[in-house]
Amino acid sequence: MTTTGEVHRAAAGGPWWWERWRGAGLDAGLAAASAVECAFEGVPFAHKAGLPVWTGIVFGVLTGSTLLLRRRWPIAVVLVSVAVTPAQMGIMLTVVGLYSLAASEMPRRIIGALAGMSFVGTLIVSVVRAQQDMVHSDRFQVGGWFVPFVAITTSLGVTAPPLLLGLYVGARRRLMESLRERNESLERELSLLAERAEERAEWARGEERTRIAREMHDVVAHRVSLMVVHAAALQAVARKDPEKAVRNAALVGDMGRQALTELREMLGVLRAGEPGSGAGPVVGPGPGAGAGREPRAEALPLAAVGAAAAAAASRAEAEAGVVDGGPSLAELDALVGQSREAGMVVEMSVEGEAREYAAAVEQTAYRVVQEALTNVHKHAAGAKTYVRLAHREAEVAMQVENEPPPVPAAASAGLPSGGNGLVGMRERVAGLGGVFVSGVTDAGGFRVSAVLPAV
């Protein structure tokens, strides 16, 4: 943020009530000039009043010196000028005092009242002096209009210009102050907006990382789990049934290649070079690279990684013999078939008339069933599993429930768990406004249920 006007004023403080030394010097000069003027005007006043000359001079000096108070107490300066108006002194005091009063923050009614008093006092003195001049002058005769005209003109000339100028300067000063405050307020708001934008960007990055991690978990972890299960089955039947062992080995190899393909796609996006150079990984320095310098990969948006993960998942599912276009409810039979090939006993039932849903709904339903089956492979190997799908009027429901696993079979699986499967399913379902419930059944098994809105 830039330095504000308050900081400037604090750094340039002057003596007493002055904000700057320059202002103190100006007021001292004006007070000195006014004191000299009033001192000269005090001499005839002393003669007329029958007082010693030095009394008039001292009185004039004190009267003119009140201009030192014009910034702090402008009302006092104007009252002094009104008070000495009958003594026919203090013209400069009147002009500067009215200007200072009009430029101050005093209420308009006070400014108007004091300006009226000054005008009336000046008008009376002008009338008296004009009449005295006419009486002592025998050279020319004028009409009766001359005295009022001279008095009004003189009074307006003394009071109106400083009053109007002071009102203009005061209004301009208040405008500049309001603009300065508005600028400071805007700077504070911009600072807060920048902080909030940074927080939103950090939150968005975290959300994108979570989405990518969830996508990788759902796509890769399922195949890796099946690979481990098939490898265990391969070890068990290698000597008894060589043909089945060969099939299991082929399945393990296919799933491993698919998992590697997906990981390469994601790593390729993460290691991509400059924009426009393609999404593939950087394998060497580009043309013109200096000797011994390694290519620097620019950080790409996390959304690109998520898109690559989704594309890799769709491509891997297509290689596994699934219908192109991404996972959907129509592919649940193939998903259940993969688990059956791994040795799991799975029964699947469908209620209601099958129909098409939004792509996000079908993909989420597929991922929920997929992750639930993966958890059965991890934690309840050998347990009988039931997959139920219900098409309702305004929603689609799915449930995956397994019986208690045989203890030896569960121990033989040996699959690690990251603890994020249920969290990822709950986040997916909640993101679409659905309901997700999971927990242990009364029989000792485990049940995962989800309901998604059809729209």
Side-chain angles (χ1 to χ4, degrees):
M1 295 177 62
T2 59
T3 305
T4 61
E6 294 293 336
V7 176
H8 282 306
R9 286 192 292 272
W16 294 339
W17 55 81
W18 285 281
E19 295 179 355
R20 298 180 181 86
W21 283 95
R22 183 178 60 184
L26 175 63
D27 289 354
L30 292 175
S34 179
V36 172
E37 176 202 354
C38 292
F40 279 103
E41 294 173 344
V43 173
F45 170 72
H47 287 300
K48 293 178 181 179
L51 298 174
V53 176
W54 65 269
T55 306
I57 295 175
V58 172
F59 178 72
V61 170
L62 293 176
T63 301
S65 300
T66 56
L67 272 184
L68 284 172
L69 310 176
R70 73 181 190 92
R71 295 180 189 267
R72 186 65 178 267
W73 296 291
I75 294 179
V77 175
V78 175
L79 289 177
V80 170
S81 68
V82 173
V84 299
T85 299
Q88 298 182 5
M89 66 169 59
I91 298 299
M92 184 176 181
L93 180 66
T94 301
V95 172
V96 178
L98 286 175
Y99 166 81
S100 302
L101 177 67
S104 66
E105 300 297 330
M106 294 295 171
R108 289 290 182 265
R109 61 179 182 275
I110 296 179
I111 296 175
L114 292 177
M117 292 173 58
S118 179
F119 174 79
V120 172
T122 306
L123 180 64
I124 294 174
V125 172
S126 299
V127 169
V128 172
R129 290 189 62 177
Q131 289 180 347
Q132 291 176 352
D133 292 340
M134 289 183 62
V135 170
H136 294 88
S137 177
D138 298 331
R139 296 181 181 179
F140 58 92
Q141 298 291 330
V142 294
W145 56 267
F146 180 75
V147 173
F149 174 77
V150 171
I152 294 175
T153 304
T154 303
S155 301
L156 289 177
V158 172
T159 58
L163 182 67
L164 296 177
L165 181 60
L167 291 174
Y168 167 75
V169 172
R172 184 176 180 273
R173 182 187 300 144
R174 287 187 291 272
L175 176 61
M176 296 300 295
E177 191 68 24
S178 65
L179 291 178
R180 186 183 297 109
E181 293 177 356
R182 182 179 180 183
N183 182 46
E184 295 172 2
S185 174
L186 288 176
E187 288 179 351
R188 288 192 295 269
E189 291 179 4
L190 288 176
S191 178
L192 291 176
L193 288 176
E195 294 176 0
R196 292 177 182 174
E198 183 64 25
E199 292 176 358
R200 286 195 296 268
E202 185 64 28
W203 175 83
R205 286 192 291 267
E207 287 292 317
E208 194 63 25
R209 291 190 188 99
T210 302
R211 189 180 72 85
I212 294 169
R214 185 167 58 240
E215 192 72 23
M216 293 179 64
H217 180 275
D218 292 343
V219 174
V220 179
H222 180 69
R223 289 201 178 86
V224 174
S225 301
L226 291 179
M227 288 171 58
V228 175
V229 173
H230 280 294
L234 175 62
Q235 184 179 5
V237 303
R239 296 180 180 179
K240 299 179 181 180
D241 191 349
E243 293 183 0
K244 187 175 181 180
V246 171
R247 290 196 300 272
N248 287 342
L251 287 174
V252 171
D254 291 340
M255 292 179 182
R257 283 189 292 271
Q258 293 169 7
L260 287 175
T261 300
E262 295 165 5
L263 291 176
R264 286 195 188 100
E265 290 289 341
M266 297 175 189
L267 292 177
V269 173
L270 290 173
R271 296 180 178 178
E274 298 180 356
S277 62
V282 178
V283 296
R293 295 180 58 185
E294 295 182 0
R296 179 176 60 85
E298 294 187 1
L300 293 182
L302 290 175
V305 183
S314 302
R315 191 156 46 250
E317 294 293 345
E319 292 176 0
V322 186
V323 180
D324 292 336
S328 62
L329 292 177
E331 303 167 18
L332 286 181
D333 291 335
L335 180 65
V336 172
Q338 293 177 2
S339 296
R340 287 172 180 165
E341 291 178 359
M344 180 188 294
V345 180
V346 186
E347 291 185 4
M348 181 176 177
S349 61
V350 180
E351 300 177 4
E353 183 179 355
R355 63 184 188 274
E356 293 184 358
Y357 300 94
V361 174
E362 296 211 3
Q363 182 177 1
T364 300
Y366 179 91
R367 294 300 188 200
V368 169
V369 177
Q370 182 188 53
E371 180 58 28
L373 291 176
T374 302
N375 288 342
V376 175
H377 285 294
K378 289 182 178 180
H379 308 290
K384 187 175 182 179
T385 306
Y386 304 91
V387 178
R388 301 181 181 90
L389 180 66
H391 299 276
R392 300 170 185 170
E393 182 177 356
E395 60 188 16
V396 56
M398 64 232 61
Q399 185 182 89
V400 178
E401 180 180 350
N402 62 273
E403 296 179 353
V407 177
S412 64
L415 290 170
S417 175
N420 296 319
L422 295 177
V423 175
M425 286 189 283
R426 181 175 289 105
E427 290 176 350
R428 283 182 178 274
V429 174
L432 296 179
V435 179
F436 178 84
V437 179
S438 63
V440 181
T441 62
D442 296 336
F446 199 84
R447 180 187 298 119
V448 173
S449 303
V451 178
L452 297 172
V455 180

